Amino acid sequence: QTCALPIYAEQKAQREREETVKREHELKAKQEIELKEKLAREQKAREDAAKREQERKTREAQAAKEKQAREQKAREDAAKAAKDAAAKKQQAQLEKDLQAQLAAEADRQQAERSGLMDQYILLIKDKIERHWTRPLSAASGLDCIVSVVQLPTGDVIEARVTSCNGDDAVRRSIEAAVKLASPLPRPPNPNLFERNLNVRFKPVI
């Protein structure tokens, strides 16, 4: 009996050690599970946060894209409106100019029918003849056409005899007479003004 007690005590101690090791293993296993679960939760939290951040960035990018599209459309609409307004203004100006040209042409035709054009040409011819110095070679029956370029003020820019039955001296004398007659008489009606005139020079000799 004395010998059995130490054996029992040894066995008990062994069981206690085994229980202690078992509890330690269980505790360690539990801690590992808890750690894994914690790491998994943290990983999921990071993934969820990253997902939310990505969704936020996507929403912001989409909003910025839509805003840019709206602004671009607004600019395009404004540019189109300005272009349309400019086109309408230009068309209105063209129509106004056309009406003015038609009115001027009608006024000119009326003036021509009333004899004002003939009167205008006669005034020019008379002034040229008054400033003409007849050269010795000029014979009776002289008939020439002189091309005159003038400003609205009547100032002569150019005078050139284009056809004439006189010699060079006669031609030069006629061209000189036109320049001396500058400024030429202005038309009775401004719409009768012609920058380029062909005047028939046919003086009585």
Side-chain angles (χ1 to χ4, degrees), residues 97-168:
D97 292 344
L98 178 60
Q99 291 298 326
Q101 291 175 6
L102 292 174
E105 182 60 27
D107 188 49
R108 176 188 174 87
Q109 291 176 0
Q110 177 62 31
E112 289 179 351
R113 285 194 295 270
S114 66
L116 290 179
M117 188 65 176
D118 294 337
Q119 180 183 342
Y120 173 43
I121 296 298
L122 184 59
L123 290 172
I124 292 175
K125 288 180 178 180
D126 289 344
K127 190 169 185 182
I128 293 173
E129 288 186 19
R130 287 198 307 270
H131 287 81
W132 179 54
T133 301
R134 176 186 173 183
L136 295 175
S137 59
S140 60
L142 183 64
D143 191 357
C144 305
I145 301 295
V146 56
S147 174
V148 180
V149 181
Q150 63 170 341
L151 297 175
T153 56
D155 293 292
V156 175
I157 300 174
E158 182 183 355
R160 184 170 56 87
V161 174
T162 56
S163 66
C164 187
N165 58 2
D167 59 14
D168 288 341

Side-chain angles (χ1 to χ4, degrees), residues 178-191:
V178 175
K179 293 175 182 177
L180 288 172
S182 180
L184 299 175
R186 295 189 183 185
N189 185 318
N191 290 323

Side-chain angles (χ1 to χ4, degrees), residues 172-198:
R172 288 193 300 270
S173 70
I174 296 172
E175 292 171 355
V178 175
K179 293 175 182 177
L180 288 172
S182 180
L184 299 175
R186 295 189 183 185
N189 185 318
N191 290 323
L192 292 175
F193 173 79
E194 289 283 355
R195 177 180 173 84
N196 300 292
L197 281 176
N198 287 320

Side-chain angles (χ1 to χ4, degrees), residues 1-180:
Q1 186 177 1
T2 304
C3 200
L5 288 174
I7 294 173
Y8 175 76
E10 179 65 26
Q11 290 175 344
K12 183 179 179 182
Q14 178 65 29
R15 286 195 298 272
E16 290 177 350
R17 287 193 297 272
E18 290 176 352
E19 287 292 331
T20 299
V21 170
K22 182 179 178 182
R23 286 194 299 272
E24 289 177 350
H25 285 169
E26 290 175 350
L27 179 61
K28 184 177 181 181
K30 182 180 179 181
Q31 290 175 340
E32 288 178 352
I33 292 172
E34 291 176 348
L35 179 60
K36 287 181 180 179
E37 290 176 348
K38 179 182 178 183
L39 292 175
R41 287 194 300 272
E42 292 176 349
Q43 177 64 25
K44 187 175 185 305
R46 287 193 295 271
E47 290 175 352
D48 290 345
K51 182 179 179 181
R52 288 193 298 272
E53 179 66 14
Q54 183 61 40
E55 290 174 348
R56 182 186 67 80
K57 290 181 178 179
T58 301
R59 288 194 300 271
E60 290 180 351
Q62 182 64 27
K65 184 177 180 181
E66 291 174 355
K67 180 182 178 182
Q68 184 178 12
R70 289 193 300 271
E71 291 174 348
Q72 178 65 24
K73 187 176 185 303
R75 287 193 295 270
E76 291 175 353
D77 290 345
K80 184 177 183 299
K83 185 177 180 181
D84 291 344
K88 288 181 181 178
K89 183 177 180 181
Q90 184 179 17
Q91 182 63 30
Q93 186 62 45
L94 289 174
E95 291 176 358
K96 182 179 178 181
D97 292 344
L98 178 60
Q99 291 298 326
Q101 291 175 6
L102 292 174
E105 182 60 27
D107 188 49
R108 176 188 174 87
Q109 291 176 0
Q110 177 62 31
E112 289 179 351
R113 285 194 295 270
S114 66
L116 290 179
M117 188 65 176
D118 294 337
Q119 180 183 342
Y120 173 43
I121 296 298
L122 184 59
L123 290 172
I124 292 175
K125 288 180 178 180
D126 289 344
K127 190 169 185 182
I128 293 173
E129 288 186 19
R130 287 198 307 270
H131 287 81
W132 179 54
T133 301
R134 176 186 173 183
L136 295 175
S137 59
S140 60
L142 183 64
D143 191 357
C144 305
I145 301 295
V146 56
S147 174
V148 180
V149 181
Q150 63 170 341
L151 297 175
T153 56
D155 293 292
V156 175
I157 300 174
E158 182 183 355
R160 184 170 56 87
V161 174
T162 56
S163 66
C164 187
N165 58 2
D167 59 14
D168 288 341
V170 171
R171 291 170 177 262
R172 288 193 300 270
S173 70
I174 296 172
E175 292 171 355
V178 175
K179 293 175 182 177
L180 288 172

